[in-house]
Amino acid sequence: QVQLVESGGGLVQAGGSLSVSCAASGRTVANYAMGWFRQAPGKDREFVAAMSWNERNTNYADSLKGRFTISRDRPMNTVYLQMNSLKPEDTAIYYCARELSPYGVGSRRADDYAYWGQGTQVTVSS
């Protein structure tokens, strides 16, 4: 089993920055693509960013390119999401996830992910 625990969420003013982390335990995630998704109140969960298992490929939601950056520390089983120039519409619960199959490139589809964290709240005030 894999446990994913997000941390680093909080309250930030519009225009500010925040970094959230996702620590994996139980089994290594080093050979799996990892992704970030978010869900705002009353909305469906949406893709944010993903990184391939070997860190060679990244994938971002078109609307977030240039503001959000995904990274990972494979030996430490940790994935990060750096969020800059935050906007009130970025307010959501942010979830990290591990793909179902190894050696992936980082899918945008939630159905391709098998393990999910409990989420961390990010609130951006105007």
Side-chain angles (χ1 to χ4, degrees):
Q1 277 287 12
V2 175
Q3 292 81 41
L4 302 174
V5 179
E6 300 93 339
S7 62
L11 175 64
V12 63
Q13 287 190 334
S17 298
L18 199 63
S19 179
V20 291
S21 304
C22 172
S25 62
R27 299 183 70 176
T28 181
V29 297
N31 293 332
Y32 293 84
M34 298 292 294
W36 286 96
F37 291 76
R38 69 184 184 183
Q39 187 166 19
K43 295 188 177 181
D44 293 334
R45 188 172 298 190
E46 64 173 351
F47 170 76
V48 173
M51 176 172 275
S52 62
W53 73 278
N54 58 4
E55 304 178 57
R56 291 179 184 174
N57 298 99
T58 55
N59 202 353
Y60 293 95
D62 291 342
S63 62
L64 300 177
K65 282 182 183 177
R67 294 197 298 122
F68 287 22
T69 303
I70 187 172
S71 60
R72 66 188 297 177
D73 184 334
R74 291 177 68 216
M76 295 298 292
N77 271 340
T78 303
V79 184
Y80 306 94
L81 183 69
Q82 175 67 40
M83 302 177 286
N84 298 326
S85 302
L86 283 162
K87 305 175 182 179
E89 51 264 41
D90 295 319
T91 294
I93 299 174
Y94 284 72
Y95 300 90
C96 72
R98 195 212 80 179
E99 277 195 353
L100 174 64
S101 301
Y103 310 117
V105 298
S107 172
R108 292 172 174 253
R109 299 176 64 249
D111 287 347
D112 290 334
Y113 291 82
Y115 295 96
W116 294 81
Q118 83 291 345
T120 186
Q121 176 71 48
V122 172
T123 302
V124 184
S125 63
S126 57

